[in-house]
Amino acid sequence: KGGRSVEAVAEYTIATNAEPKLPIAFKKLALAELQRSDFKACTAAMKSAVNYTPVETRVSMEEDYAEILRMIESLLTDIYNKVLTTKSAFSIGNTTRETAFKEMTSLRKKSDDLTLALDDLPSPTTAMGKIKALYSQGAALLTQSADKLLEGIEVASTSGEEEALLMRREAMKQIS
């Protein structure tokens, strides 16, 4: 998958350079960049796609945009599951504090990166913008949940776990 997305990025970059106002190449580039978890490049490509698509035909972008949101939903769900696994492994003593802290920090960063990308990702239509806003809110709640769990790992406390649990539940409501 990694090799194919690198090849796809190269191919779509060539296409966008050859036809810099062709929205389809930018839409495909955005998808390929997202597969590589390059959220900033995905957002930049999608901005170009939206900018080069006439307002009256932007509804035609909804299918590709929905694919981006499905991919982001999958990434957020994966982060959610890994947060649960890391928290559980630490709670029952199957992993060290250092390992749990490192993993939770990585998950928090990825969730935060997705939040920022979603906040910056242009929507082709108002309807898609509303869906994107829910995903962004879910990603932000997941980041906050990871923050609370990081605090608990750092000071060996379970006081923030209930709050973290509520945030994770709310996050999954937003992206489901």
Side-chain angles (χ1 to χ4, degrees):
K1 189 175 183 178
R4 287 189 303 159
S5 53
V6 169
E7 290 171 8
V9 166
E11 288 175 23
Y12 293 125
T13 299
I14 290 168
T16 59
N17 290 334
E19 292 290 335
K21 293 188 178 184
L22 188 62
I24 186 73
F26 284 105
K27 288 188 288 187
K28 298 300 181 187
L29 179 59
L31 288 165
E33 294 289 16
L34 185 56
Q35 286 179 332
R36 292 181 344 131
S37 293
D38 189 339
F39 308 129
K40 287 182 182 179
C42 170
T43 298
M46 201 61 190
K47 281 182 180 178
S48 294
V50 170
N51 289 339
Y52 294 129
T53 302
V55 174
E56 61 275 4
T57 62
R58 285 191 183 158
V59 75
S60 67
M61 295 180 67
E62 284 187 346
E63 188 175 318
D64 288 319
Y65 196 80
E67 179 62 21
I68 287 173
L69 292 179
R70 280 190 293 275
M71 290 171 71
I72 289 172
E73 179 181 348
S74 177
L75 289 168
L76 290 171
T77 301
D78 185 53
I79 292 168
Y80 174 84
N81 290 330
K82 287 179 180 176
V83 163
L84 291 178
T85 302
T86 301
K87 179 208 164 294
S88 177
F90 177 69
S91 294
I92 61 174
N94 284 351
T95 192
T96 65
R97 174 176 292 139
E98 293 78 20
T99 301
F101 192 84
K102 183 179 176 182
E103 178 66 15
M104 196 66 72
T105 299
S106 172
L107 294 167
R108 187 228 173 271
K109 181 182 180 336
K110 191 168 186 177
S111 178
D112 191 45
D113 288 348
L114 276 167
T115 302
L116 295 172
L118 280 161
D119 288 346
D120 205 28
L121 188 69
S123 302
T125 63
T126 302
M128 285 288 150
K130 290 177 182 177
I131 296 167
K132 178 197 82 154
L134 291 173
Y135 279 48
S136 181
Q137 185 178 29
L141 286 164
L142 198 51
T143 301
Q144 291 172 30
S145 174
D147 277 339
K148 280 290 177 194
L149 291 172
L150 275 168
E151 287 174 19
I153 291 169
E154 191 171 33
V155 297
S157 169
T158 58
S159 65
E161 285 189 17
E162 185 65 28
E163 191 176 353
L165 173 65
L166 293 172
M167 286 182 211
R168 285 193 311 275
R169 285 182 182 160
E170 205 49 46
M172 291 312 292
K173 287 179 188 176
Q174 299 304 322
I175 62 172
S176 296

